[in-house]
Amino acid sequence: MKAPITLLAVVLAAIGTTTAVNAALPDPGMEIDRARTALVITDPQNDFLSPKGVTWGVVGKNVTENNTVENIETLLKTAKAQGIQVFISPHYYYPTDHGWHFEGALERLMHDIGMFDRKGALTTEGFEGSGADWLERYKPYINDGVTVITSPHKVYGPETNDLVLQLRKRGIDKVILGGMSANLCTESHMRELLEQGFEVAVVSDATAAAQVEEGDGYEAAMINFRFIANTVWTTKEAVQKINDAK
Amino acid sequence: MKAPITLLAVVLAAIGTTTAVNAALPDPGMEIDRARTALVITDPQNDFLSPKGVTWGVVGKNVTENNTVENIETLLKTAKAQGIQVFISPHYYYPTDHGWHFEGALERLMHDIGMFDRKGALTTEGFEGSGADWLERYKPYINDGVTVITSPHKVYGPETNDLVLQLRKRGIDKVILGGMSANLCTESHMRELLEQGFEVAVVSDATAAAQVEEGDGYEAAMINFRFIANTVWTTKEAVQKINDAK
Amino acid sequence: MKAPITLLAVVLAAIGTTTAVNAALPDPGMEIDRARTALVITDPQNDFLSPKGVTWGVVGKNVTENNTVENIETLLKTAKAQGIQVFISPHYYYPTDHGWHFEGALERLMHDIGMFDRKGALTTEGFEGSGADWLERYKPYINDGVTVITSPHKVYGPETNDLVLQLRKRGIDKVILGGMSANLCTESHMRELLEQGFEVAVVSDATAAAQVEEGDGYEAAMINFRFIANTVWTTKEAVQKINDAK
Amino acid sequence: MKAPITLLAVVLAAIGTTTAVNAALPDPGMEIDRARTALVITDPQNDFLSPKGVTWGVVGKNVTENNTVENIETLLKTAKAQGIQVFISPHYYYPTDHGWHFEGALERLMHDIGMFDRKGALTTEGFEGSGADWLERYKPYINDGVTVITSPHKVYGPETNDLVLQLRKRGIDKVILGGMSANLCTESHMRELLEQGFEVAVVSDATAAAQVEEGDGYEAAMINFRFIANTVWTTKEAVQKINDAK
């Protein structure tokens, strides 16, 4: 109990808000080393990002305000141009998943509205253009034969898929993270990647979340990203750092 | 894309706020079966819960408002009285942990202020009464020889300790979750327990969080608990459900 | 150091081999409760089990001697008849997996011989009848819409797929385990399931392994199953226990 | 199914045994980069390595033949001299662990004979010189304040402790692995480290195992190390490679 934050707070109060913000919570930052850094995008799928997707009614406003669709594309384009490896962690449900005995609140909702549904693990019937498919404009980047498409995560984090292994098998230990949705899969990916010893920079406007009467998922995520990640960047900052990296 | 939330929202708007809240996000609930349910408390330690702890300056107000200290004790007392097994997941740092090459924001802060520091994994020198020790009033419940004290988690979640195994080795698949701090270790425990296939009921006033200029950790946690957990209870509700369970 | 095994060994030597075997290593056994028990089969795929598969030259003799192909089918048929849930954990490699920077010995070999290769995670082109496909005779059991087909594991164990979650989401905590190959994926599944707090009964003749100049994989697995699992059954014993269970 | 091993085997048979061995199972090898490589030792504790330990009756002969005690010390000494970081993953059981509802065969045996027992997670009473304590001769290397002592693993692998995080937090991605016992904790560490994307070189004579009527644990481990690890070295080879590394 040697250096109470209370003291810190007093000092900070004395020197003004902006400094206080920086001083109170450190911002460790993250240096990009191109060979060891990946862009990871969670759930870049129609059900979150298309006006026809099943969740547009609750995420559409936030997606639009953040310019999320364009920002994710900008990250994909920049990473490809600069030789940063890209990993996509999708979310799919198969018919057997509807036999689960219990679910958390959003899991229940996603199952009820048929979100991310596919007809099976070993068939692509009906997949093209469905809510589970990639947003059309991302396909050139994701389906180029180089981008690593992991197995689907089945709750929110990468604990149930091969993302961590795929990153490690390529010597990656730093992740630039974006995608949908901010306080669910994106945040669970950030948390698990940190538990596994990665550095994570979250891109705050390359994501968005449901804003409902029970709460603003985007606001919650922004607080937790700032508290937990190694650093938080805007898309503009991320692009510049990728371009400047060696 | 068969049952868009937009439709749901329209319906909800038509029938009024309270109903809307319940309808928009389902509340799956959790039935307590005493033999299969545990109380899990994260970080019931001085550095979070004592006015002398290193974080009291940023969490003290929220701890006081929520009546967190008393509520955690009420949960411990009720669980013991009703034969619900209790598991404690503590947070300790050893001198070698200060040799880590990188840290997220709050990890950096915790290290800087000497939070949860112990002199080593195999010594208890200086531990008694330190910031890493249990809050004094909890010791009769935690040190009774029955409560399971897991190894320390080293980031925020139980990925780095034996909590999941200890629960499973006793046939537990439902968890009542409280402790500190709401949006860090408590939330990471909730998320990981769900990934591991547990049902989790979070107790909203048996926790608290840092409230700083960068954001209100308690507010973020409350949003995410509501979105993600199987259900959210107050201490009063949790006590009644434990007492009513068979 | 209170009850040295040396004493045990002396006693055992005095009472004869058969007793000694049982006495030296306990056999904890596993009671089948139908609602909480699953049959898990690893890699029931052509590349291991078909004479046309890429590994038949090193596993074929053992597969034939053990009657592995028929025994796995007997387990599948019995489980389906008795309402025991079935989970299949397959092994697939995608073109991007050939970009890994390093591999263990057998991983290297599997990649070199094109084992379990598919054309991509999101295409089934060329899959039907390939080395990665199910053995033809198992298809009625696996493709019945009820059997849970997990995402592929990518090294040997279920750490990189959703098997553990899929089991837990259905209240399963006991596993009857068979499949290919004994000392690689089957053993890694046994070990990880135990770490995750499952009870595991391995079926010794519903598996087989590579037998090469460097060593007999089947012999290694049999030793480790006996040391580590909750119990080891033959197919005949497993069938009787499933039929007798409630 | 393009390059069947059968063909390989025919070719190999034609060119003689030694070549065949190398050809049949590749040996990917592991380059040591001092900053990214660690020495990891499992269970260097009295209950395995001291003639007074509870398992000496079944492991003593193999420990003596392999020169295991001296070889582990040689590895520790060499690593310290050359600036290779050392991590120890111990095995402890606490009184509450004896309340587990089920165990595998060796877990049951270890509990029955009081192996690795300590009086609690937060007391060192009775620890000094007990079966759970380090072998006396290793203490200068392990207790130097630099070696990282992880939390105990609770089954066989590092899934239940912080080893993976501790390695990653220091930029380690290659592991030289030794310790006790070969086919239990050492092998489970090898398997899990590979699943987590580490390269692993196992040191074949810096380990040993139980040899009982049910099977020879050392033989099983040697087969699996050869099949699975990136490479297998003797202590002599490991020392030379560490000394030659940059």
Side-chain angles (χ1 to χ4, degrees):
Chain A
M1 296 193 221
K2 45 200 150 152
I5 294 182
T6 26
L7 289 188
L8 234 78
V10 171
V11 175
L12 300 174
I15 55 183
T17 302
T18 315
T19 313
V21 170
N22 295 332
L25 286 196
D27 180 359
M30 186 179 95
E31 288 290 316
I32 297 180
D33 170 339
R34 287 188 191 188
R36 294 166 49 197
T37 305
L39 173 66
V40 173
I41 303 291
T42 54
D43 302 9
Q45 297 165 258
N46 287 319
D47 268 343
F48 267 137
L49 292 170
S50 160
K52 294 188 202 151
V54 292
T55 66
W56 190 257
V58 291
V59 305
K61 183 162 164 288
N62 197 221
V63 167
T64 304
E65 284 172 356
N66 289 350
N67 207 27
T68 308
V69 171
E70 293 74 14
N71 286 337
I72 290 175
E73 185 170 359
T74 298
L75 291 177
L76 290 168
K77 190 181 298 186
T78 305
K80 290 290 175 185
Q82 299 291 353
I84 297 281
Q85 297 176 75
V86 178
F87 296 73
I88 307 293
S89 178
H91 205 151
Y92 304 132
Y93 289 122
Y94 304 128
T96 48
D97 296 335
H98 289 271
W100 290 355
H101 294 187
F102 54 90
E103 296 132 337
L106 254 290
E107 291 177 84
R108 173 70 56 85
L109 180 64
M110 289 190 289
H111 278 180
D112 286 350
I113 62 178
M115 191 171 185
F116 295 141
D117 271 354
R118 283 180 49 188
K119 300 213 167 166
L122 290 170
T123 175
T124 54
E125 189 196 331
F127 178 65
E128 176 84 26
S130 73
D133 198 4
W134 316 127
L135 202 64
E136 198 63 29
R137 66 199 289 169
Y138 299 155
K139 290 187 179 178
Y141 309 102
I142 300 180
N143 296 336
D144 67 351
V146 177
T147 295
V148 176
I149 301 166
T150 70
S151 294
H153 49 271
K154 305 299 291 191
V155 182
Y156 304 112
E159 286 90 335
T160 49
N161 74 13
D162 56 330
L163 175 63
V164 168
L165 179 78
Q166 294 290 357
L167 292 165
R168 293 299 186 190
K169 281 286 196 182
R170 289 163 179 89
I172 303 292
D173 50 20
K174 297 162 184 261
V175 167
I176 302 165
L177 180 65
M180 295 292 289
S181 68
N183 66 322
L184 301 179
C185 297
T186 315
E187 186 174 336
S188 278
H189 275 67
M190 173 195 67
R191 288 181 186 253
E192 180 64 11
L193 289 171
L194 286 176
E195 299 284 341
Q196 297 297 335
F198 291 87
E199 291 179 81
V200 182
V202 185
V203 187
S204 59
D205 55 0
T207 184
Q211 297 171 313
V212 293
E213 304 203 22
E214 292 87 346
D216 181 337
Y218 185 68
E219 188 192 350
M222 285 306 108
I223 295 169
N224 287 342
F225 292 159
R226 181 64 187 87
F227 273 51
I228 296 175
N230 294 78
T231 195
V232 181
W233 296 333
T234 60
T235 298
K236 197 176 162 191
E237 290 170 327
V239 166
Q240 185 168 337
K241 282 171 194 288
I242 293 171
N243 287 337
D244 292 351
K246 21 176 203 185
Chain B
M1 297 195 221
K2 45 198 151 154
I5 294 183
T6 26
L7 289 188
L8 235 77
V10 171
V11 175
L12 300 175
I15 54 182
T17 303
T18 316
T19 313
V21 171
N22 294 330
L25 286 197
D27 181 358
M30 185 178 96
E31 288 289 317
I32 299 180
D33 171 338
R34 287 188 191 189
R36 295 167 48 198
T37 306
L39 173 67
V40 173
I41 302 291
T42 55
D43 301 9
Q45 297 165 259
N46 287 319
D47 268 343
F48 267 136
L49 292 170
S50 160
K52 294 187 203 155
V54 291
T55 65
W56 190 257
V58 291
V59 305
K61 184 162 163 288
N62 196 223
V63 167
T64 306
E65 283 171 357
N66 289 350
N67 207 27
T68 308
V69 170
E70 294 74 13
N71 286 337
I72 290 175
E73 185 170 1
T74 299
L75 291 177
L76 289 168
K77 190 181 299 186
T78 305
K80 289 290 176 184
Q82 299 292 353
I84 297 282
Q85 297 176 77
V86 178
F87 296 73
I88 307 293
S89 179
H91 205 151
Y92 303 132
Y93 289 122
Y94 304 128
T96 48
D97 296 334
H98 289 270
W100 290 354
H101 294 186
F102 54 90
E103 296 132 337
L106 254 291
E107 290 177 85
R108 173 71 56 85
L109 181 65
M110 289 190 288
H111 280 179
D112 285 350
I113 63 179
M115 191 171 185
F116 295 139
D117 271 354
R118 284 178 50 186
K119 301 215 166 163
L122 291 169
T123 175
T124 53
E125 190 196 331
F127 178 65
E128 177 85 25
S130 73
D133 198 5
W134 317 126
L135 201 64
E136 198 62 30
R137 65 199 291 169
Y138 299 155
K139 291 188 177 177
Y141 309 102
I142 299 180
N143 297 336
D144 66 352
V146 177
T147 294
V148 175
I149 302 165
T150 70
S151 294
H153 49 272
K154 305 298 290 191
V155 183
Y156 304 112
E159 285 90 333
T160 49
N161 75 12
D162 56 330
L163 175 62
V164 168
L165 179 76
Q166 294 290 358
L167 293 165
R168 294 300 186 189
K169 281 286 196 180
R170 289 162 179 90
I172 304 292
D173 49 22
K174 297 161 184 261
V175 167
I176 301 165
L177 180 65
M180 293 294 288
S181 68
N183 66 322
L184 301 178
C185 297
T186 315
E187 185 174 336
S188 277
H189 275 66
M190 174 195 67
R191 288 181 187 253
E192 180 64 10
L193 289 171
L194 287 176
E195 299 284 342
Q196 296 296 336
F198 291 86
E199 291 178 80
V200 182
V202 185
V203 186
S204 58
D205 55 359
T207 184
Q211 297 171 313
V212 293
E213 305 203 22
E214 293 86 348
D216 181 337
Y218 185 68
E219 187 192 349
M222 286 304 109
I223 295 169
N224 286 341
F225 292 158
R226 181 63 186 89
F227 273 51
I228 296 175
N230 293 79
T231 195
V232 181
W233 296 331
T234 61
T235 298
K236 197 176 161 191
E237 289 170 328
V239 166
Q240 186 168 337
K241 282 172 195 287
I242 294 171
N243 287 337
D244 292 350
K246 18 175 203 178
Chain C
M1 295 193 223
K2 43 199 152 149
I5 294 182
T6 26
L7 289 188
L8 235 78
V10 171
V11 174
L12 300 174
I15 54 181
T17 302
T18 316
T19 313
V21 171
N22 295 330
L25 287 197
D27 180 358
M30 186 178 96
E31 287 290 317
I32 298 179
D33 171 338
R34 288 189 190 187
R36 295 167 48 198
T37 305
L39 173 66
V40 173
I41 303 291
T42 54
D43 301 9
Q45 297 165 260
N46 286 320
D47 268 343
F48 267 137
L49 291 170
S50 160
K52 293 187 203 154
V54 292
T55 66
W56 191 256
V58 291
V59 305
K61 185 163 163 286
N62 197 221
V63 167
T64 305
E65 283 170 357
N66 289 350
N67 206 27
T68 308
V69 171
E70 294 73 15
N71 286 336
I72 290 175
E73 184 170 359
T74 299
L75 290 177
L76 289 168
K77 189 181 301 188
T78 306
K80 290 291 176 186
Q82 299 291 352
I84 298 281
Q85 298 175 76
V86 178
F87 296 72
I88 308 293
S89 178
H91 205 151
Y92 304 131
Y93 289 122
Y94 303 129
T96 49
D97 296 334
H98 289 271
W100 290 355
H101 295 187
F102 54 89
E103 296 133 337
L106 255 290
E107 290 178 85
R108 174 70 57 86
L109 180 66
M110 289 190 288
H111 279 180
D112 286 350
I113 62 178
M115 191 171 184
F116 296 140
D117 271 354
R118 284 180 49 187
K119 300 213 168 165
L122 291 169
T123 174
T124 53
E125 189 196 330
F127 178 65
E128 176 85 23
S130 74
D133 198 6
W134 316 126
L135 201 65
E136 198 63 30
R137 66 199 289 169
Y138 299 156
K139 290 187 179 178
Y141 309 102
I142 299 179
N143 296 337
D144 67 351
V146 178
T147 293
V148 176
I149 301 166
T150 70
S151 294
H153 49 271
K154 305 299 289 191
V155 182
Y156 304 111
E159 286 89 333
T160 49
N161 75 13
D162 57 329
L163 175 63
V164 167
L165 179 76
Q166 295 290 358
L167 292 166
R168 293 299 187 191
K169 281 286 196 181
R170 289 163 179 88
I172 303 293
D173 49 22
K174 296 161 185 262
V175 168
I176 301 166
L177 178 66
M180 293 294 287
S181 68
N183 66 322
L184 301 179
C185 296
T186 315
E187 185 174 336
S188 277
H189 275 66
M190 173 195 67
R191 288 182 187 253
E192 180 64 11
L193 289 170
L194 287 176
E195 298 285 341
Q196 297 295 336
F198 290 87
E199 290 178 82
V200 183
V202 185
V203 186
S204 59
D205 55 359
T207 183
Q211 297 171 313
V212 293
E213 304 203 21
E214 292 86 347
D216 180 337
Y218 185 68
E219 187 191 350
M222 286 305 108
I223 295 169
N224 287 342
F225 292 160
R226 181 64 187 87
F227 273 51
I228 296 175
N230 294 79
T231 195
V232 180
W233 297 331
T234 60
T235 298
K236 196 176 161 190
E237 289 171 330
V239 167
Q240 185 168 338
K241 281 171 195 289
I242 294 172
N243 287 337
D244 292 351
K246 30 183 192 172
Chain D
M1 296 195 225
K2 43 198 150 152
I5 293 183
T6 26
L7 289 189
L8 233 78
V10 172
V11 174
L12 300 174
I15 55 181
T17 302
T18 316
T19 313
V21 171
N22 294 330
L25 286 197
D27 180 358
M30 186 179 96
E31 287 291 316
I32 299 180
D33 170 338
R34 285 188 192 188
R36 295 167 47 197
T37 305
L39 174 66
V40 173
I41 304 291
T42 53
D43 301 9
Q45 297 165 258
N46 287 318
D47 268 343
F48 267 137
L49 292 170
S50 161
K52 293 189 203 152
V54 291
T55 66
W56 191 256
V58 291
V59 305
K61 184 163 163 286
N62 195 222
V63 167
T64 305
E65 283 171 357
N66 289 350
N67 208 26
T68 308
V69 170
E70 293 73 14
N71 286 337
I72 290 174
E73 184 170 0
T74 299
L75 291 177
L76 289 168
K77 190 181 299 187
T78 306
K80 290 290 176 185
Q82 299 291 353
I84 298 281
Q85 297 174 76
V86 178
F87 295 74
I88 307 293
S89 179
H91 206 151
Y92 302 132
Y93 290 122
Y94 303 128
T96 48
D97 296 334
H98 289 271
W100 291 354
H101 294 187
F102 53 89
E103 297 133 336
L106 254 291
E107 290 177 85
R108 173 70 57 86
L109 180 65
M110 289 191 287
H111 279 180
D112 285 350
I113 62 178
M115 191 169 184
F116 295 140
D117 271 355
R118 283 180 49 186
K119 299 214 168 164
L122 290 169
T123 174
T124 53
E125 189 196 331
F127 178 65
E128 176 85 25
S130 74
D133 198 4
W134 316 126
L135 202 63
E136 198 62 31
R137 65 198 290 168
Y138 299 156
K139 291 188 178 177
Y141 309 103
I142 299 180
N143 297 336
D144 67 352
V146 177
T147 294
V148 176
I149 302 165
T150 70
S151 294
H153 49 271
K154 305 299 290 192
V155 182
Y156 304 112
E159 286 90 333
T160 49
N161 75 13
D162 57 329
L163 175 63
V164 167
L165 179 77
Q166 295 290 357
L167 292 166
R168 294 298 186 192
K169 280 287 195 181
R170 289 164 178 89
I172 304 292
D173 50 23
K174 296 161 185 261
V175 167
I176 301 165
L177 180 65
M180 293 293 288
S181 67
N183 66 321
L184 300 179
C185 297
T186 315
E187 185 174 335
S188 278
H189 276 66
M190 174 194 66
R191 289 181 186 252
E192 180 64 10
L193 289 170
L194 287 175
E195 299 284 341
Q196 297 296 336
F198 291 87
E199 291 179 80
V200 182
V202 185
V203 186
S204 58
D205 55 358
T207 183
Q211 298 171 312
V212 293
E213 304 202 22
E214 293 86 348
D216 180 336
Y218 185 68
E219 187 192 350
M222 286 305 108
I223 295 169
N224 287 341
F225 292 159
R226 181 64 187 87
F227 273 52
I228 296 175
N230 294 78
T231 195
V232 180
W233 296 333
T234 60
T235 298
K236 198 177 161 189
E237 289 171 329
V239 167
Q240 186 168 337
K241 281 171 195 289
I242 294 171
N243 286 338
D244 293 350
K246 22 176 202 182

